[in-house]
Amino acid sequence: MKILVINCGSSSLKYQLIDMDNSKALASGKCDRIGVESIESPFIEYKKDGKKIKEEVALPDHKTAFELIMKYLLDPEVGVIKSMSEIDAIGHRVAHGGPKLTKTAVITDKVLEEYNIAIEYAPLHNPAHLQGINACMKLMPETPEVLVFDTSFHTTIPEYASLYAIPYEYYEKYAVKRYGAHGSSHKYIAEEAAKQLGKKKEEINIISCHLGNGSSVAAIKGGKCVDTSMGLTPLEGLIMGTRSGDLDPAVLEFIMKKENLSIEEMMTVLNKKSGLLGISEITGDVRDLKNLAAEGNKRAELAINMFAYRVKKYIGAYMAVLGKVDAIIFEGGIGEHNFDVVNKCVEGLEPLGIVFDSSHNKEEVYEGIISKPESRIKMLVIPTNEELEIARETMNAIK
């Protein structure tokens, strides 16, 4: 069975065609700068067997991008399929399912109706996903399409952990609560961690740290999520590339009055101008911040220290939530490639049984245990594979 996984952003479309007989990607890539005016040209990237093709091409909309992806997949020389009929299903990564779409769902008119209602819960992400869904449906109307929600894995969070201490009527009227994100990543990590620890996922408790431009931490007990750092939207929790994460809600009113900002303008500040970018005022990319800090840029160093400190706070909090912790897992762009930053995230936690092996600090690529043998709680780097998890969910949904 072959599953095509689609992950759409407002101006991008990432894809991966996975052969589920061996869980291997036959081809992957992305289309970038779709429908936007930019100094840089829009392009498609296509990867197969470790080789990459990059072509600058006009991408006015997501439908054009999807058509171009199919052209590459079907190409006699570099393609991996001979007919679109070889694709058994399309799995779409969706950030938020809202209050009604709590499980992976095959697309129907009713599901799309509920999805359109859920857009208000992730206004920065869900409209972009919808563009990809519509593009695929137009080009491949007979192929089953499945929505896999980032929020599904977090539906097991108990009510006392998912609700906010605001008037209960807002939950009853508008379903305001903690939904979380990165669910496919955290679920994949929970399963892989169990394999690497030689146990069933029901037997272990882990803290999963998905650290990248968007970051979240999840407390996973016996394979089920019991708490996570992101909230109603992906804005809450850790400091991220351009997102503020946790802050006093009164900060919004204070700044809005001082700067005469509307709600929309304030939300743009919190989502796109804050986080690591907001502190450094240069970049939200940890790699660039590390280089700047090495050159003596104090603001870059401050941004990294703030990021690591917030992660450390959540690790400590989730140790208290879980009671017994078997492992702390790091994944995502920062978690998989920046071990000096990971070191900062656990620095000083040795009395709690967490002892990082600093010999990994200068490594850029490593997978496996990164804690010392005497560490009571193991620390591991497990590269996440959200696409494979989405493909698995898609395959199970259409069976």
Side-chain angles (χ1 to χ4, degrees):
M1 179 178 285
K2 296 181 179 70
I3 305 291
L4 179 61
V5 176
I6 298 292
N7 182 355
C8 276
S10 58
S11 61
S12 66
L13 193 165
K14 296 178 183 177
Y15 64 95
Q16 205 171 111
L17 182 62
I18 300 176
D19 184 347
M20 297 308 293
D21 291 336
N22 55 23
S23 298
K24 300 294 184 183
L26 300 173
S28 64
K30 65 179 178 180
C31 295
D32 210 0
R33 303 190 184 100
I34 301 171
V36 297
E37 295 291 333
S38 173
I39 296 174
E40 302 290 335
S41 300
F43 66 88
I44 179 172
E45 186 178 275
Y46 179 82
K47 298 178 185 176
K48 175 194 169 187
D49 298 330
K51 298 179 181 178
K52 181 171 71 173
I53 299 172
K54 184 177 179 180
E55 178 189 359
E56 292 187 357
V57 61
L59 294 172
D61 51 42
H62 285 73
K63 182 174 181 290
T64 303
F66 188 68
E67 288 172 348
L68 194 56
I69 289 167
M70 295 309 304
K71 178 183 174 182
Y72 269 95
L73 292 173
L74 291 162
D75 187 90
E77 293 185 11
V78 300
V80 291
I81 55 173
K82 294 180 180 179
S83 167
M84 287 193 292
S85 63
E86 290 183 44
I87 298 175
D88 296 285
I90 300 173
H92 295 271
R93 178 255 176 173
V94 179
H96 212 302
K100 296 288 183 67
L101 297 172
T102 59
K103 296 180 180 179
T104 295
V106 177
I107 290 181
T108 63
D109 290 342
K110 178 62 176 175
V111 167
L112 285 179
E113 183 181 328
E114 289 293 345
Y115 180 79
N116 277 284
I117 295 172
I119 284 177
E120 67 178 334
Y121 292 89
L124 295 176
H125 297 78
N126 277 18
H129 301 322
L130 186 59
Q131 293 181 62
I133 293 165
N134 289 334
C136 293
M137 291 179 69
K138 285 179 182 177
L139 192 62
M140 300 174 66
E142 302 303 318
T143 304
E145 302 204 30
V146 176
L147 303 184
V148 181
F149 304 103
D150 272 2
T151 47
S152 295
F153 183 61
H154 304 302
T155 56
T156 51
I157 296 175
E159 196 172 47
Y160 59 77
S162 67
L163 294 188
Y164 295 105
I166 56 177
Y168 193 79
E169 64 177 299
Y170 297 139
Y171 169 64
E172 294 177 309
K173 287 180 179 179
Y174 313 118
V176 174
K177 67 168 190 173
R178 179 179 308 283
Y179 288 92
H182 295 142
S184 293
S185 176
H186 290 303
K187 184 180 179 185
Y188 175 84
I189 291 300
E191 293 168 351
E192 289 300 309
K195 291 178 186 176
Q196 295 201 25
L197 294 172
K199 296 182 179 181
K200 296 178 180 178
K201 64 182 181 181
E202 293 80 11
E203 298 173 341
I204 62 169
N205 296 347
I206 67 167
I207 298 172
S208 172
C209 302
H210 181 108
L211 308 181
N213 186 54
S215 297
S216 67
V217 184
I220 303 173
K221 188 172 187 176
K224 295 182 179 180
C225 183
V226 294
D227 205 350
T228 191
S229 57
M230 286 180 168
L232 175 72
T233 74
L235 181 57
E236 187 182 356
L238 302 180
I239 293 169
M240 298 172 239
T242 63
R243 283 173 249 171
S244 65
D246 296 338
L247 81 169
D248 180 349
V251 169
L252 278 66
E253 179 190 27
F254 185 85
I255 294 175
M256 288 169 71
K257 285 181 177 179
K258 294 289 186 183
E259 298 286 328
N260 194 28
L261 300 178
S262 66
I263 291 174
E264 290 76 16
E265 290 170 329
M266 188 71 247
M267 294 311 294
T268 296
V269 169
L270 295 179
N271 277 291
K272 298 184 177 181
K273 299 180 180 180
S274 298
L276 298 174
L277 172 63
I279 296 300
S280 70
E281 296 187 313
I282 299 175
T283 178
D285 191 308
V286 161
R287 294 167 296 185
D288 295 333
L289 289 171
K290 284 165 57 176
N291 291 333
L292 289 166
E295 295 169 1
N297 187 305
K298 295 300 182 184
R299 205 81 78 69
E301 183 180 4
L302 174 63
I304 292 171
N305 288 339
M306 289 176 64
F307 172 85
Y309 179 73
R310 185 72 60 84
V311 175
K312 186 190 297 186
K313 283 179 67 175
Y314 268 95
I315 289 174
Y318 287 167
M319 288 179 71
V321 166
L322 293 171
K324 176 181 77 74
V325 179
D326 296 283
I328 302 171
I329 316 298
F330 291 89
E331 70 269 9
I334 298 173
E336 294 172 24
H337 303 291
N338 296 271
F339 304 122
D340 49 350
V341 177
V342 169
N343 191 356
K344 286 178 177 287
C345 294
V346 296
E347 206 167 37
L349 298 184
E350 291 82 6
L352 300 180
I354 301 168
V355 186
F356 179 74
D357 184 349
S358 58
S359 66
H360 295 291
N361 271 343
K362 295 189 180 298
E363 292 180 323
E364 293 184 3
V365 179
Y366 182 82
E367 178 180 351
I369 296 173
I370 55 173
S371 53
K372 286 189 174 181
E374 64 265 29
S375 183
R376 181 173 55 80
I377 298 173
K378 284 186 171 64
M379 294 174 59
L380 294 91
V381 172
I382 300 178
T384 192
N385 194 334
E386 294 169 279
E387 290 79 10
L388 178 57
E389 185 59 41
I390 290 167
R392 288 170 177 167
E393 291 279 338
T394 300
M395 182 174 68
N396 292 334
I398 64 171
K399 278 186 175 179

